Amino acid sequence: MAEIHVMVVEDDPMVMEITCGYIQSIPGFSIAARAGSGSDALRQLVRCKVELLILDIYMPVMNGVELLRECRSRGIDADAIFLTAAKDKQMIDRALKLGAVDYLIKPFGYDRFKATLETYRHRYQCLHEQHREATQEEVDQLLGGGKSDHGQIQKGLHEKTLDYVRECVRSCESDLISPEDLMQQLAISKSTARRYLDYLASIGEVVLQIEYGTVGRPTYRYRRLR
């Protein structure tokens, strides 16, 4: 799949460089633009193709939430992830209501940032996979519904089998594991293997990577998060 184009909106030059460095280290993303303010971001969004905005809230003239609200009013539907020191719950509520897919409070570590982008990449790939309708299970995963309110694993999965799958993922020599690998190791069907791996992806233990060849169906591989 093509790379996800990112615009970083941040008024602190040092934080801008750190954030861009993080993004460039994660496969599947490219920096399409940088903006030092909300008004600068709006000017660039007119001519710049962007799927994802990574933005601060506290900025002069126009803050990040105001920027996202203006984007929505202009029909700019790029997804948004906030990286900010803003801890006010009303501000967080406004950001989420405008469609923010994640909200990281500064300071945060690289691993947390990486997990956020990898989870977003999985979401983006699922929603933009061509010629395929979604299942309820996939929708539940996209909306974070992998577990019930009582902390139990989702319906149709078994705790013992999940333990075996987790062990296979942990003991795999490569960081990547496929449904076919689980088929061989656990003597289960491919669809069952993928269902368990998709569940681990939905709760952030692995990240789905879809590889597209020149012919045939895409290959699904899952990379464990360290």
Side-chain angles (χ1 to χ4, degrees):
M1 178 169 285
E3 289 186 323
I4 296 168
H5 300 92
V6 182
M7 174 185 284
V8 182
V9 188
E10 169 62 62
D11 65 327
D12 186 319
M14 184 173 72
V15 175
M16 171 73 80
E17 289 304 315
I18 292 171
T19 302
C20 290
Y22 282 178
I23 295 168
Q24 290 168 334
S25 73
I26 302 170
F29 296 88
S30 65
I31 298 172
R34 307 182 186 197
S37 67
S39 55
D40 182 23
L42 279 176
R43 284 193 296 270
Q44 294 193 58
L45 283 167
V46 173
R47 62 181 186 277
C48 184
K49 177 188 176 185
V50 170
E51 286 83 40
L52 177 62
L53 294 168
I54 293 183
L55 62 163
D56 193 5
I57 285 184
Y58 296 136
M59 294 183 291
V61 183
M62 178 184 291
N63 69 39
V65 170
E66 292 168 342
L67 167 60
L68 188 55
R69 182 180 296 113
E70 185 64 25
C71 285
R72 298 298 182 249
S73 70
R74 297 187 184 195
I76 299 170
D77 61 357
D79 292 318
I81 294 173
F82 282 92
L83 312 181
T84 178
K87 299 179 182 179
D88 180 81
K89 290 185 177 179
Q90 288 186 335
M91 187 72 77
I92 296 170
D93 184 49
R94 293 190 195 108
L96 296 177
K97 285 178 177 176
L98 287 167
V101 297
D102 208 341
Y103 192 104
L104 274 66
I105 296 175
K106 299 175 182 175
F108 51 85
Y110 172 73
D111 288 343
R112 177 64 177 87
F113 180 82
K114 184 179 180 182
T116 290
L117 258 64
E118 289 178 332
T119 299
Y120 172 78
R121 185 180 61 205
H122 168 63
R123 174 183 183 273
Y124 184 88
Q125 289 171 338
C126 286
L127 290 174
H128 292 81
E129 190 176 358
Q130 294 181 350
H131 309 302
R132 187 166 172 266
E133 295 181 341
T135 64
Q136 184 62 57
E137 182 178 332
E138 288 172 323
V139 174
D140 290 343
Q141 290 172 4
L142 290 171
L143 297 178
K147 288 191 175 184
S148 73
D149 292 338
H150 302 290
Q152 297 176 343
I153 64 174
Q154 68 187 34
K155 185 178 180 180
L157 303 185
H158 299 281
E159 192 75 50
K160 195 65 176 178
T161 303
L162 183 61
D163 289 341
Y164 288 139
V165 170
R166 281 190 168 118
E167 181 57 34
C168 287
V169 171
R170 283 193 295 265
S171 61
C172 183
E173 292 184 2
S174 169
D175 281 346
L176 290 170
I177 191 167
S178 68
E180 290 81 4
D181 294 330
L182 287 184
M183 285 173 59
Q184 296 178 3
Q185 295 183 49
L186 299 179
I188 58 179
S189 69
K190 183 177 178 179
S191 61
T192 297
R194 186 173 170 192
R195 189 162 68 249
Y196 279 88
L197 288 169
D198 281 342
Y199 172 69
L200 292 182
S202 76
I203 61 174
E205 293 189 23
V206 300
V207 172
L208 171 63
Q209 294 184 194
I210 305 177
E211 300 172 1
Y212 291 86
T214 54
V215 295
R217 294 183 177 181
T219 300
Y220 293 80
R221 298 185 189 279
Y222 298 77
R223 188 169 68 78
R224 65 172 177 257
L225 295 176
R226 295 184 181 277

